[in-house]
Amino acid sequence: MNYVLGIDIGTTAIKAALFDENGFIQGSATKEYELIALPTGEIEQNFEVYEKAFKDAISGAIAMSGAAHEDVVCLGISATGETILFIDEEDKPLRKVITWLDNRAVEEAAYLNSCFNRKEFLQRTGWSTVHPGTPAAKILWVKRHEPDIFRKSQKIVLIKDYFIFRLTGKYVSEDSLMCDSMYWDMGNRQYWPEMLEKLDVIAEMLPEVCQPGMELDTVTPEAAAEFGLNTQMRINVGGMDQACGAIGAGNIRSGMLSESTGSALVALSIVDEFVVDQNGIVPTFAAGIPAPIYVAYFFNGRHRNEMVQGRVLPYGKECRSVNRNKFLCPYRQRGRDGRSRQRRTDHAAIFAWQRSAGSERKGKRRVFWHYVCAYEKAFFQSNNGGHRDDAQANAGRDRSARHQGPGNPVAGRWR
């Protein structure tokens, strides 16, 4: 029997899972790591930490399955976006990896926002503004604050791109990962020359960009020996983690909604053409399958953790019961000073609280995220002339309920 190896490069862990020909997981491994966080907003890590976790996750998943190495015929990768590396002429990282959580580039983001008309920027990138975590802002920060690193950089790549290089010897990315870089033109599916000019970067310094899920090449002999892989293994470029998660949840057609909860909580829907929210609330991304675009609404990780710990509902005085299991609560997040601040009052999420019968802790609550209020309101108002009918809303809620994590008997199974 042949097997496919899937690897996810996450914020604080790398996960590997080995699937058989029927789509069932035969082995898996998770290797966690900590990030280096400074009070000034820097969040980074040495590439060697990712490299070791990558190797250990692969060997752990294959060992658990008992599969022979020669039977593992393909490897695909998903990864967080916005985590960036600066590479020298010998194809080695010049500095620590700057993660997507890093917020050092506040001034650089403000400068880039001042350089472009908001409407044009939205049409090019699918976003309303540059934020400090984007690769564009980080590149400008390195240019200003670490000029020697910038001068020596021959390639500037995201973390999945660099692992693809380590496996194939080629710098290749795909547009589901590249689409929130702020220098990728979403409408035309190419690098945006005007943004590259502001960053003093040429396209040759960036990876070639293909469609998500494209099979690239056979693993190099050196990489096969280093990572313990079949020398005939094919490497698939994969996609951004949220794009791949949507596919795993069955969200592959226009009109469907899905949600994932990790270091960020994300709700998204597939649409058939490039559309932008003129209000700038809902950003637009490339999907993990060719041609469609997905639209995502984000809650940040800290907000999600607060909800898990029961901190949102108690201080959300505006919360009101929808039924006995659901509550409607305005979207809140904590500022840098630790105080709660309310965003728009129409940003709301429905949380279904359910007691876990088999919980190790008596009375522990498991949260299932029925996130659709804010997302549907923003999305459907932007694209249906301000109207959303009940059939659309109910269809979205019904589909989202199909994939609720560990409580769902089909969760964790290839679908």
Side-chain angles (χ1 to χ4, degrees), residues 320-328 350-353:
R320 58 187 177 84
S321 176
V322 177
N323 61 37
R324 64 176 184 165
N325 290 323
K326 298 179 181 178
F327 296 87
L328 191 64
I350 297 178
F351 316 129
W353 294 73

Side-chain angles (χ1 to χ4, degrees), residues 307-363:
M307 290 191 287
V308 171
Q309 295 165 14
R311 296 177 184 172
V312 171
L313 290 175
Y315 67 61
K317 294 183 180 179
E318 301 87 346
C319 295
R320 58 187 177 84
S321 176
V322 177
N323 61 37
R324 64 176 184 165
N325 290 323
K326 298 179 181 178
F327 296 87
L328 191 64
C329 177
Y331 167 33
R332 291 176 176 265
Q333 73 175 47
R334 288 183 182 270
R336 288 191 175 183
D337 58 359
R339 297 178 180 177
S340 170
R341 67 173 185 271
Q342 185 172 345
R343 290 285 187 89
R344 297 168 58 95
T345 56
D346 59 350
H347 286 192
I350 297 178
F351 316 129
W353 294 73
Q354 173 178 312
R355 287 193 179 275
S356 296
S359 173
E360 294 179 0
R361 296 181 181 178
K362 185 177 181 180

Side-chain angles (χ1 to χ4, degrees), residues 220-275:
T220 65
E222 296 79 10
E226 180 180 4
F227 296 109
L229 301 173
N230 174 8
T231 56
Q232 300 302 310
M233 174 181 281
R234 304 292 294 180
I235 304 300
N236 190 295
V237 72
M240 187 181 183
D241 52 4
Q242 300 298 341
C244 292
I247 296 172
N251 188 355
I252 58 174
R253 292 185 298 275
S254 177
M256 299 183 72
L257 290 165
S258 62
E259 177 276 337
S260 68
T261 303
S263 296
L265 190 155
V266 182
L268 54 88
S269 177
I270 295 284
V271 293
D272 291 325
E273 59 184 9
F274 181 62
V275 293

Side-chain angles (χ1 to χ4, degrees), residues 82-373:
E82 304 180 355
T83 298
I84 193 167
L85 294 92
F86 294 80
I87 307 300
D88 67 14
E89 60 185 6
E90 297 181 352
D91 297 310
K92 304 293 185 184
L94 284 161
R95 67 174 322 283
K96 291 182 177 70
V97 178
I98 304 177
T99 74
W100 70 275
L101 291 168
D102 190 287
N103 278 305
R104 72 184 74 188
V106 174
E107 294 181 3
E108 289 71 22
Y111 166 75
L112 292 173
N113 284 324
S114 71
C115 293
F116 298 97
N117 174 274
R118 182 180 182 275
K119 183 177 181 180
E120 179 192 10
F121 190 84
L122 190 61
Q123 290 297 326
R124 293 280 191 172
T125 67
W127 288 72
S128 58
T129 58
V130 179
H131 63 83
T134 58
K138 292 168 182 170
I139 290 172
L140 191 57
W141 186 94
V142 170
K143 180 188 175 188
R144 289 178 172 182
H145 297 273
E146 298 177 352
D148 288 343
I149 297 294
F150 186 81
R151 178 176 50 82
K152 294 176 182 177
S153 296
Q154 298 299 305
K155 291 287 185 180
I156 300 174
V157 297
L158 303 182
I159 191 160
K160 181 165 73 70
D161 309 336
Y162 191 58
F163 274 107
I164 291 292
F165 167 78
R166 293 290 299 275
L167 292 167
T168 67
K170 300 176 181 179
Y171 285 105
V172 183
S173 189
E174 39 75 31
D175 61 355
S176 75
L177 187 73
M178 194 60 66
C179 62
D180 60 351
S181 65
M182 303 302 149
Y183 44 78
W184 182 247
D185 185 335
M186 281 283 294
N188 296 307
R189 299 289 176 107
Q190 64 184 23
Y191 287 118
W192 184 13
E194 289 79 6
M195 178 60 83
L196 295 186
E197 183 179 353
K198 295 296 182 184
L199 303 177
D200 196 18
V201 169
I202 59 175
E204 288 73 19
M205 297 174 66
L206 304 171
E208 174 190 349
V209 180
C210 66
Q211 290 185 334
M214 183 174 177
E215 192 172 276
L216 299 176
D217 208 341
T218 304
V219 65
T220 65
E222 296 79 10
E226 180 180 4
F227 296 109
L229 301 173
N230 174 8
T231 56
Q232 300 302 310
M233 174 181 281
R234 304 292 294 180
I235 304 300
N236 190 295
V237 72
M240 187 181 183
D241 52 4
Q242 300 298 341
C244 292
I247 296 172
N251 188 355
I252 58 174
R253 292 185 298 275
S254 177
M256 299 183 72
L257 290 165
S258 62
E259 177 276 337
S260 68
T261 303
S263 296
L265 190 155
V266 182
L268 54 88
S269 177
I270 295 284
V271 293
D272 291 325
E273 59 184 9
F274 181 62
V275 293
V276 295
D277 175 11
Q278 297 299 330
N279 295 318
I281 298 172
V282 182
T284 307
F285 291 81
I289 50 180
I293 306 293
Y294 71 75
V295 180
Y297 181 82
F298 286 85
F299 290 88
N300 71 10
R302 177 175 294 183
H303 178 61
R304 184 260 305 173
N305 289 336
E306 287 174 350
M307 290 191 287
V308 171
Q309 295 165 14
R311 296 177 184 172
V312 171
L313 290 175
Y315 67 61
K317 294 183 180 179
E318 301 87 346
C319 295
R320 58 187 177 84
S321 176
V322 177
N323 61 37
R324 64 176 184 165
N325 290 323
K326 298 179 181 178
F327 296 87
L328 191 64
C329 177
Y331 167 33
R332 291 176 176 265
Q333 73 175 47
R334 288 183 182 270
R336 288 191 175 183
D337 58 359
R339 297 178 180 177
S340 170
R341 67 173 185 271
Q342 185 172 345
R343 290 285 187 89
R344 297 168 58 95
T345 56
D346 59 350
H347 286 192
I350 297 178
F351 316 129
W353 294 73
Q354 173 178 312
R355 287 193 179 275
S356 296
S359 173
E360 294 179 0
R361 296 181 181 178
K362 185 177 181 180
K364 178 182 176 183
R365 289 175 174 177
R366 176 174 293 168
V367 183
F368 293 113
W369 312 99
H370 292 258
Y371 50 80
V372 291
C373 274

